[in-house]
Protein backbone atom coordinates (compact mmCIF):
# COMPACT_ATOMS: atom_id res chain seq x y z
CA UNK A 1 0.00 0.00 0.00
CA UNK A 2 1.15 3.54 -0.77
CA UNK A 3 0.51 5.94 2.09
CA UNK A 4 -0.35 9.60 1.45
CA UNK A 5 2.06 12.51 1.70
CA UNK A 6 0.56 15.83 2.67
CA UNK A 7 1.23 19.31 1.37
CA UNK A 8 2.70 21.65 3.94
CA UNK A 9 0.05 23.85 5.51
CA UNK A 10 -2.91 22.12 3.83
CA UNK A 11 -5.89 23.14 6.02
CA UNK A 12 -7.59 19.83 5.29
CA UNK A 13 -4.79 17.85 6.98
CA UNK A 14 -5.15 16.91 10.63
CA UNK A 15 -2.16 18.29 12.54
CA UNK A 16 -0.42 18.14 15.91
CA UNK A 17 1.93 20.51 17.70
CA UNK A 18 5.49 19.51 18.51
CA UNK A 19 8.60 21.18 19.88
CA UNK A 20 12.01 20.76 18.27
CA UNK A 21 14.69 19.20 20.47
CA UNK A 22 17.11 21.92 19.37
CA UNK A 23 14.81 24.84 20.13
CA UNK A 24 13.13 27.10 17.64
CA UNK A 25 9.71 27.03 19.26
CA UNK A 26 6.61 25.00 18.46
CA UNK A 27 6.02 23.37 15.08
CA UNK A 28 2.98 22.01 13.30
CA UNK A 29 3.29 18.46 11.94
CA UNK A 30 0.87 16.23 10.02
CA UNK A 31 -0.90 13.81 12.38
CA UNK A 32 -0.46 10.21 11.20
CA UNK A 33 -3.39 7.85 10.93
CA UNK A 34 -1.95 5.30 13.35
CA UNK A 35 -3.10 1.67 13.07
CA UNK A 36 -1.86 1.02 16.63
CA UNK A 37 -0.76 3.40 19.37
CA UNK A 38 2.72 4.91 19.26
CA UNK A 39 3.35 3.26 22.65
CA UNK A 40 2.75 -0.21 21.25
CA UNK A 41 4.73 0.49 18.09
CA UNK A 42 7.67 1.91 20.03
CA UNK A 43 7.84 -1.22 22.16
CA UNK A 44 7.56 -3.42 19.09
CA UNK A 45 10.44 -1.58 17.48
CA UNK A 46 12.66 -1.74 20.57
CA UNK A 47 11.98 -5.47 20.89
CA UNK A 48 12.41 -6.23 17.16
CA UNK A 49 8.81 -7.44 17.12
CA UNK A 50 7.36 -6.35 13.77
CA UNK A 51 6.90 -2.59 14.19
CA UNK A 52 4.54 -0.91 11.75
CA UNK A 53 6.56 2.27 11.22
CA UNK A 54 9.85 3.83 12.34
CA UNK A 55 9.12 5.70 15.58
CA UNK A 56 9.63 9.45 15.42
CA UNK A 57 10.08 11.09 18.85
CA UNK A 58 8.61 14.36 17.54
CA UNK A 59 5.29 12.61 16.97
CA UNK A 60 5.34 9.40 18.97
CA UNK A 61 7.02 10.30 22.26
CA UNK A 62 6.42 12.58 25.20
CA UNK A 63 9.47 13.44 27.28
CA UNK A 64 9.85 14.50 30.89
CA UNK A 65 13.10 16.28 31.64
CA UNK A 66 14.85 14.94 34.74
CA UNK A 67 15.17 18.51 35.98
CA UNK A 68 11.40 18.97 35.76
CA UNK A 69 10.51 16.05 38.02
CA UNK A 70 11.60 17.71 41.25
CA UNK A 71 11.61 21.28 42.49
CA UNK A 72 15.13 22.48 43.37
CA UNK A 73 16.04 24.18 46.59
CA UNK A 74 17.78 27.55 46.70
CA UNK A 75 21.15 25.87 47.20
CA UNK A 76 20.77 23.18 44.55
CA UNK A 77 19.78 23.96 40.99
CA UNK A 78 18.79 20.59 39.66
CA UNK A 79 18.37 16.87 40.07
CA UNK A 80 21.09 16.28 37.51
CA UNK A 81 22.89 18.06 34.72
CA UNK A 82 21.54 18.10 31.18
CA UNK A 83 21.67 20.13 27.99
CA UNK A 84 19.08 22.88 27.74
CA UNK A 85 18.07 23.64 24.17
CA UNK A 86 14.58 24.91 24.89
CA UNK A 87 15.86 27.72 27.14
CA UNK A 88 19.29 28.65 25.77
CA UNK A 89 21.49 30.69 28.08
CA UNK A 90 23.45 33.70 26.93
CA UNK A 91 26.11 33.64 29.62
CA UNK A 92 28.06 31.07 31.60
CA UNK A 93 27.01 30.39 35.18
CA UNK A 94 27.83 27.91 37.94
CA UNK A 95 25.43 25.72 39.89
CA UNK A 96 25.34 22.78 42.29
CA UNK A 97 23.49 19.56 41.51
CA UNK A 98 21.79 17.27 43.99
CA UNK A 99 25.00 15.33 44.67
CA UNK A 100 26.52 18.70 45.70
CA UNK A 101 28.79 18.62 42.68
CA UNK A 102 29.77 22.00 41.22
CA UNK A 103 29.13 22.66 37.51
CA UNK A 104 29.61 25.53 35.07
CA UNK A 105 27.10 25.96 32.26
CA UNK A 106 29.24 26.87 29.22
CA UNK A 107 27.17 28.80 26.72
CA UNK A 108 29.56 28.22 23.80
CA UNK A 109 29.40 24.43 24.36
CA UNK A 110 25.65 24.31 24.92
CA UNK A 111 25.86 22.40 28.18
CA UNK A 112 27.33 22.07 31.66
CA UNK A 113 30.92 21.07 32.41
CA UNK A 114 32.46 20.11 35.75
CA UNK A 115 33.83 23.33 37.24
CA UNK A 116 37.64 23.29 36.87
CA UNK A 117 39.44 22.58 40.12
CA UNK A 118 36.35 21.18 41.85
CA UNK A 119 36.53 17.79 43.55
CA UNK A 120 34.48 16.09 46.24
CA UNK A 121 36.88 13.21 46.71
CA UNK A 122 40.65 13.07 46.29
CA UNK A 123 40.98 9.49 47.54
CA UNK A 124 38.56 6.92 46.13
CA UNK A 125 39.08 4.64 49.12
CA UNK A 126 37.26 7.33 51.16
CA UNK A 127 34.30 7.69 48.79
CA UNK A 128 31.78 6.76 51.48
CA UNK A 129 32.83 9.82 53.50
CA UNK A 130 32.88 12.37 50.67
CA UNK A 131 30.22 11.28 48.14
CA UNK A 132 26.88 12.88 49.03
CA UNK A 133 23.90 10.78 47.96
CA UNK A 134 20.66 12.78 47.84
CA UNK A 135 17.75 11.82 50.07
CA UNK A 136 14.69 11.46 47.88
CA UNK A 137 12.21 12.46 50.58
CA UNK A 138 13.89 15.88 50.88
CA UNK A 139 12.63 16.84 47.41
CA UNK A 140 9.22 17.90 46.09
CA UNK A 141 8.21 15.27 43.51
CA UNK A 142 4.46 15.82 43.64
CA UNK A 143 3.98 19.38 42.32
CA UNK A 144 5.19 18.69 38.78
CA UNK A 145 3.67 15.20 38.75
CA UNK A 146 0.20 16.43 39.67
CA UNK A 147 0.15 19.10 36.95
CA UNK A 148 1.74 16.89 34.29
CA UNK A 149 -0.57 13.92 34.71
CA UNK A 150 -3.66 16.13 34.85
CA UNK A 151 -2.89 18.62 32.09
CA UNK A 152 -0.13 17.31 29.82
CA UNK A 153 0.14 13.52 29.81
CA UNK A 154 -0.83 11.81 26.55
CA UNK A 155 -1.41 8.08 27.17
CA UNK A 156 -1.12 7.28 23.45
CA UNK A 157 2.51 8.41 23.31
CA UNK A 158 5.60 6.64 24.58
CA UNK A 159 6.51 8.49 27.77
CA UNK A 160 10.28 8.88 28.06
CA UNK A 161 12.68 10.23 30.63
CA UNK A 162 16.38 10.37 31.36
CA UNK A 163 17.62 9.21 34.75
CA UNK A 164 20.73 11.36 34.59
CA UNK A 165 24.41 10.61 35.02
CA UNK A 166 25.41 6.94 35.06
CA UNK A 167 28.08 5.11 37.05
CA UNK A 168 31.24 6.46 35.43
CA UNK A 169 29.90 9.96 34.73
CA UNK A 170 28.82 10.40 38.34
CA UNK A 171 32.16 8.94 39.49
CA UNK A 172 34.03 11.44 37.28
CA UNK A 173 32.02 14.28 38.83
CA UNK A 174 32.90 13.40 42.42
CA UNK A 175 36.58 12.67 41.61
CA UNK A 176 37.09 16.01 39.86
CA UNK A 177 37.53 14.90 36.24
CA UNK A 178 38.31 12.04 33.90
CA UNK A 179 42.05 11.99 34.66
CA UNK A 180 41.45 11.50 38.36
CA UNK A 181 38.69 8.95 37.72
CA UNK A 182 40.77 6.84 35.34
CA UNK A 183 43.71 6.88 37.76
CA UNK A 184 41.35 5.50 40.39
CA UNK A 185 40.21 2.81 37.93
CA UNK A 186 43.83 1.73 37.50
CA UNK A 187 44.94 1.88 41.14
CA UNK A 188 41.86 1.09 43.27
CA UNK A 189 39.44 -1.06 41.23
CA UNK A 190 37.80 -2.60 44.29
CA UNK A 191 36.92 0.79 45.78
CA UNK A 192 35.59 1.91 42.40
CA UNK A 193 33.41 -1.18 42.14
CA UNK A 194 32.07 -0.59 45.65
CA UNK A 195 31.06 2.94 44.65
CA UNK A 196 29.37 1.69 41.47
CA UNK A 197 27.30 -0.85 43.39
CA UNK A 198 26.22 1.81 45.90
CA UNK A 199 25.39 4.18 43.07
CA UNK A 200 23.26 1.57 41.29
CA UNK A 201 21.36 1.01 44.53
CA UNK A 202 20.61 4.75 44.39
CA UNK A 203 19.59 4.55 40.70
CA UNK A 204 17.22 1.66 41.39
CA UNK A 205 15.60 3.58 44.24
CA UNK A 206 15.24 6.64 42.01
CA UNK A 207 13.79 4.58 39.15
CA UNK A 208 11.25 2.90 41.43
CA UNK A 209 10.11 6.29 42.69
CA UNK A 210 9.71 7.58 39.12
CA UNK A 211 7.73 4.48 38.09
CA UNK A 212 5.30 4.97 40.97
CA UNK A 213 4.52 8.43 39.60
CA UNK A 214 4.74 8.03 35.82
CA UNK A 215 3.95 5.23 33.32
CA UNK A 216 7.38 5.38 31.67
CA UNK A 217 7.83 3.53 28.36
CA UNK A 218 11.51 4.35 27.74
CA UNK A 219 14.25 5.13 30.24
CA UNK A 220 17.50 6.63 28.95
CA UNK A 221 20.66 6.04 30.97
CA UNK A 222 23.77 8.15 30.28
CA UNK A 223 27.24 6.75 30.80
CA UNK A 224 29.95 7.75 28.33
CA UNK A 225 32.63 5.06 28.06
CA UNK A 226 34.64 6.40 25.11
CA UNK A 227 36.22 9.34 23.38
CA UNK A 228 36.17 9.61 19.60
CA UNK A 229 39.32 7.46 19.20
CA UNK A 230 38.66 4.59 21.58
CA UNK A 231 37.23 3.61 24.95
CA UNK A 232 38.36 5.37 28.13
CA UNK A 233 39.21 2.07 29.79
CA UNK A 234 39.92 -1.53 28.89
CA UNK A 235 37.46 -4.41 28.48
CA UNK A 236 39.05 -5.99 31.58
CA UNK A 237 38.18 -2.90 33.65
CA UNK A 238 34.65 -2.90 32.25
CA UNK A 239 34.20 -6.56 33.13
CA UNK A 240 35.61 -6.23 36.65
CA UNK A 241 34.06 -2.96 37.81
CA UNK A 242 31.06 -1.97 35.72
CA UNK A 243 29.32 -4.94 34.12
CA UNK A 244 27.71 -6.43 37.23
CA UNK A 245 26.22 -3.22 38.68
CA UNK A 246 25.14 -1.93 35.27
CA UNK A 247 23.56 -5.29 34.37
CA UNK A 248 21.69 -5.21 37.67
CA UNK A 249 20.17 -1.86 36.75
CA UNK A 250 19.32 -2.86 33.16
CA UNK A 251 17.56 -6.01 34.39
CA UNK A 252 15.62 -4.05 37.03
CA UNK A 253 14.35 -1.49 34.51
CA UNK A 254 13.36 -4.11 31.94
CA UNK A 255 11.61 -6.23 34.57
CA UNK A 256 9.38 -3.20 35.23
CA UNK A 257 8.31 -3.27 31.57
CA UNK A 258 10.44 -0.32 30.40
CA UNK A 259 12.51 -0.07 27.26
CA UNK A 260 16.13 0.47 28.32
CA UNK A 261 18.11 2.96 26.24
CA UNK A 262 21.83 3.39 26.89
CA UNK A 263 23.38 6.69 25.78
CA UNK A 264 27.13 6.25 25.30
CA UNK A 265 29.26 8.70 23.33
CA UNK A 266 32.56 8.07 21.55
CA UNK A 267 34.03 5.18 19.59
CA UNK A 268 32.53 2.35 21.60
CA UNK A 269 32.96 -0.27 18.85
CA UNK A 270 34.96 -2.75 20.91
CA UNK A 271 32.37 -2.59 23.69
CA UNK A 272 29.44 -3.58 21.44
CA UNK A 273 29.40 -7.23 22.59
CA UNK A 274 29.09 -6.01 26.18
CA UNK A 275 25.99 -3.95 25.37
CA UNK A 276 24.47 -7.14 23.94
CA UNK A 277 25.41 -9.01 27.14
CA UNK A 278 23.85 -6.26 29.25
CA UNK A 279 20.56 -6.71 27.40
CA UNK A 280 20.30 -3.08 26.29
CA UNK A 281 17.27 -2.49 24.03
CA UNK A 282 18.41 0.76 22.40
CA UNK A 283 21.89 2.21 22.08
CA UNK A 284 22.17 5.96 21.55
CA UNK A 285 25.57 6.62 19.99
CA UNK A 286 27.70 9.49 18.74
CA UNK A 287 27.11 9.04 15.03
CA UNK A 288 30.37 10.51 13.74
CA UNK A 289 32.52 8.34 16.05
CA UNK A 290 31.35 4.92 14.83
CA UNK A 291 30.67 3.07 11.58
CA UNK A 292 26.93 3.13 12.15
CA UNK A 293 26.05 1.24 8.97
CA UNK A 294 28.41 -1.61 9.82
CA UNK A 295 27.18 -1.76 13.41
CA UNK A 296 23.61 -2.14 12.15
CA UNK A 297 24.73 -5.01 9.93
CA UNK A 298 26.63 -6.71 12.76
CA UNK A 299 24.27 -6.11 15.68
CA UNK A 300 20.98 -4.89 14.22
CA UNK A 301 19.00 -7.98 15.17
CA UNK A 302 19.99 -7.83 18.87
CA UNK A 303 20.52 -4.10 19.51
CA UNK A 304 18.35 -1.15 18.59
CA UNK A 305 19.62 2.28 17.62
CA UNK A 306 18.39 5.85 17.45
CA UNK A 307 19.74 8.22 14.81
CA UNK A 308 19.03 11.15 12.58
CA UNK A 309 18.74 11.29 8.82
CA UNK A 310 21.62 9.56 7.04
CA UNK A 311 23.67 12.15 5.15
CA UNK A 312 21.95 15.18 6.69
CA UNK A 313 24.29 17.75 8.23
CA UNK A 314 22.50 20.30 10.40
CA UNK A 315 25.56 22.56 10.28
CA UNK A 316 25.14 23.01 6.51
CA UNK A 317 22.32 24.64 4.51
CA UNK A 318 19.36 22.25 4.20
CA UNK A 319 19.17 20.16 1.03
CA UNK A 320 16.43 20.53 -1.61
CA UNK A 321 13.20 18.73 -0.74
CA UNK A 322 13.75 15.97 -3.28
CA UNK A 323 17.19 15.23 -1.86
CA UNK A 324 15.85 15.22 1.69
CA UNK A 325 13.19 12.69 0.70
CA UNK A 326 15.89 10.45 -0.77
CA UNK A 327 17.97 10.77 2.42
CA UNK A 328 14.98 9.72 4.52
CA UNK A 329 14.23 6.71 2.33
CA UNK A 330 17.89 5.67 2.36
CA UNK A 331 17.86 5.95 6.17
CA UNK A 332 14.84 3.67 6.43
CA UNK A 333 16.31 1.16 3.96
CA UNK A 334 19.58 1.01 5.90
CA UNK A 335 18.40 0.94 9.50
CA UNK A 336 14.76 -0.14 9.66
CA UNK A 337 15.17 -3.87 8.82
CA UNK A 338 13.96 -6.14 11.68
CA UNK A 339 13.03 -3.09 13.77
CA UNK A 340 15.25 -1.74 16.52
CA UNK A 341 15.43 1.75 15.04
CA UNK A 342 13.89 5.13 15.72
CA UNK A 343 14.65 8.35 13.85
CA UNK A 344 14.64 12.02 14.76
CA UNK A 345 14.95 15.14 12.65
CA UNK A 346 17.48 17.74 13.75
CA UNK A 347 16.37 20.80 11.79
CA UNK A 348 14.67 24.10 12.48
CA UNK A 349 12.83 24.82 9.23
CA UNK A 350 9.08 24.18 9.86
CA UNK A 351 8.36 23.06 6.30
CA UNK A 352 11.25 20.59 6.26
CA UNK A 353 10.23 19.24 9.67
CA UNK A 354 6.74 18.64 8.25
CA UNK A 355 8.17 16.90 5.21
CA UNK A 356 10.53 14.74 7.28
CA UNK A 357 7.81 13.62 9.70
CA UNK A 358 5.43 12.87 6.82
CA UNK A 359 7.96 10.95 4.73
CA UNK A 360 9.43 8.94 7.61
CA UNK A 361 5.98 7.75 8.62
CA UNK A 362 4.64 7.00 5.13
CA UNK A 363 7.78 5.40 3.70
CA UNK A 364 8.49 3.29 6.78
CA UNK A 365 4.86 2.08 6.80
CA UNK A 366 5.41 0.94 3.22
CA UNK A 367 8.73 -0.64 4.19
CA UNK A 368 7.32 -2.64 7.12
CA UNK A 369 4.21 -3.67 5.15
CA UNK A 370 6.58 -5.52 2.83
CA UNK A 371 8.89 -6.85 5.55
CA UNK A 372 6.07 -8.10 7.76
CA UNK A 373 3.99 -9.60 4.96
Amino acid sequence: MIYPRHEYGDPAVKTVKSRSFFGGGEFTLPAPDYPITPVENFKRSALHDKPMWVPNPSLDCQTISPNDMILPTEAVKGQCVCMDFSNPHTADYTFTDWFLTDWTYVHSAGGPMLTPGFSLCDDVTNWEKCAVFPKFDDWDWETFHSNFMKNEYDPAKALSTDIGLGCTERFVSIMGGYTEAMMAFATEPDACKDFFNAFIDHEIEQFDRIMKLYPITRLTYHDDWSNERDTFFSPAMLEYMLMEPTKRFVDHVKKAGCVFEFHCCGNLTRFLPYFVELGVNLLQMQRRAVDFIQLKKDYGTVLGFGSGIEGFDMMKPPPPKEELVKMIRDTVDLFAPTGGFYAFSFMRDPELLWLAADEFYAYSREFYDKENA
Side-chain angles (χ1 to χ4, degrees):
M1 177 176 175
I2 302 299
Y3 294 90
R5 278 70 167 173
H6 306 93
E7 288 295 325
Y8 175 66
D10 184 346
V13 176
K14 183 180 178 180
T15 62
V16 293
K17 298 292 185 181
S18 179
R19 298 190 69 86
S20 170
F21 180 72
F22 280 94
E26 193 173 61
F27 294 90
T28 301
L29 300 177
D33 183 16
Y34 292 124
I36 59 176
T37 66
V39 173
E40 181 178 351
N41 187 69
F42 193 95
K43 289 183 176 180
R44 284 193 189 187
S45 179
L47 299 175
H48 303 268
D49 185 22
K50 296 184 177 181
M52 299 187 74
W53 68 92
V54 169
N56 178 353
S58 296
L59 288 168
D60 300 349
C61 298
Q62 189 172 20
T63 300
I64 310 173
S65 165
N67 276 347
D68 287 338
M69 285 188 184
I70 57 175
L71 294 184
T73 66
E74 290 184 5
V76 178
K77 183 174 179 62
Q79 169 184 351
C80 72
V81 293
C82 60
M83 301 180 81
D84 187 357
F85 291 111
S86 59
N87 297 293
H89 303 279
T90 57
D92 296 353
Y93 65 91
T94 60
F95 66 94
T96 302
D97 72 9
W98 70 341
F99 274 76
L100 303 186
T101 303
D102 198 74
W103 299 86
T104 298
Y105 192 97
V106 182
H107 171 64
S108 60
M113 309 295 176
L114 193 65
T115 299
F118 176 83
S119 174
L120 280 175
C121 186
D122 58 9
D123 180 355
V124 67
T125 63
N126 291 325
W127 69 264
E128 291 179 275
K129 297 180 180 178
C130 52
V132 181
F133 284 74
K135 296 178 181 179
F136 295 111
D137 289 339
D138 291 345
W139 297 75
D140 176 4
W141 296 77
E142 184 54 37
T143 299
F144 177 82
H145 164 258
S146 178
N147 177 70
F148 178 83
M149 295 302 295
K150 181 180 180 180
N151 300 314
E152 299 182 42
Y153 173 58
D154 184 346
K157 292 185 176 182
L159 186 59
S160 302
T161 195
D162 187 324
I163 203 164
L165 303 185
C167 279
T168 57
E169 291 189 352
R170 179 52 68 186
F171 186 64
V172 166
S173 77
I174 70 165
M175 294 300 296
Y178 270 95
T179 299
E180 293 78 7
M182 294 305 102
M183 287 295 293
F185 269 37
T187 59
E188 297 289 349
D190 290 325
C192 294
K193 186 174 182 179
D194 288 344
F195 171 82
F196 296 143
N197 274 304
F199 180 75
I200 287 300
D201 290 341
H202 160 85
E203 294 287 83
I204 288 173
E205 185 180 355
Q206 182 185 353
F207 171 76
D208 288 346
R209 182 175 288 257
I210 291 170
M211 287 300 292
K212 287 180 181 178
L213 296 172
Y214 305 97
I216 301 296
T217 301
R218 173 184 55 164
L219 183 86
T220 302
Y221 173 82
H222 280 248
D223 212 26
D224 291 343
W225 291 349
S226 318
N227 59 31
E228 292 196 23
R229 292 189 301 173
D230 204 349
T231 58
F232 289 127
F233 42 87
S234 69
M237 289 178 170
L238 175 64
E239 291 173 9
Y240 186 77
M241 289 182 283
L242 281 164
M243 282 296 288
E244 186 277 328
T246 306
K247 174 69 172 170
R248 186 156 57 90
F249 185 55
V250 174
D251 289 347
H252 186 83
V253 170
K254 291 173 64 177
K255 187 177 181 180
C258 274
V259 171
F260 192 98
E261 179 176 60
F262 200 126
H263 171 101
C264 194
C265 282
N267 183 0
L268 46 79
T269 304
R270 65 170 169 163
F271 280 171
L272 261 293
Y274 295 101
F275 289 107
V276 176
E277 184 178 341
L278 287 169
V280 169
N281 297 123
L282 298 169
L283 184 57
Q284 194 180 92
M285 299 179 293
Q286 187 179 359
R287 177 64 182 82
R288 70 175 185 239
V290 296
D291 186 344
F292 193 27
I293 295 174
Q294 188 61 49
L295 293 185
K296 173 65 181 182
K297 292 177 181 178
D298 293 342
Y299 296 97
T301 60
V302 289
L303 282 175
F305 307 98
S307 184
I309 300 169
E310 188 68 13
F312 182 87
D313 187 343
M314 65 176 295
M315 303 306 293
K316 296 180 180 179
K321 294 179 183 179
E322 296 77 10
E323 186 177 343
L324 181 59
V325 167
K326 183 179 184 306
M327 288 179 176
I328 291 169
R329 294 182 178 186
D330 289 344
T331 301
V332 172
D333 291 342
L334 283 168
F335 303 118
T338 74
F341 178 65
Y342 71 89
F344 36 78
S345 304
F346 286 163
M347 58 186 79
R348 295 182 175 91
D349 182 279
E351 187 169 355
L352 292 183
L353 278 169
W354 172 294
L355 184 152
D358 210 31
E359 188 62 29
F360 258 123
Y361 178 75
Y363 187 73
S364 64
R365 282 292 307 272
E366 294 159 4
F367 179 93
Y368 283 129
D369 280 353
K370 296 174 184 177
E371 182 177 272
N372 298 334

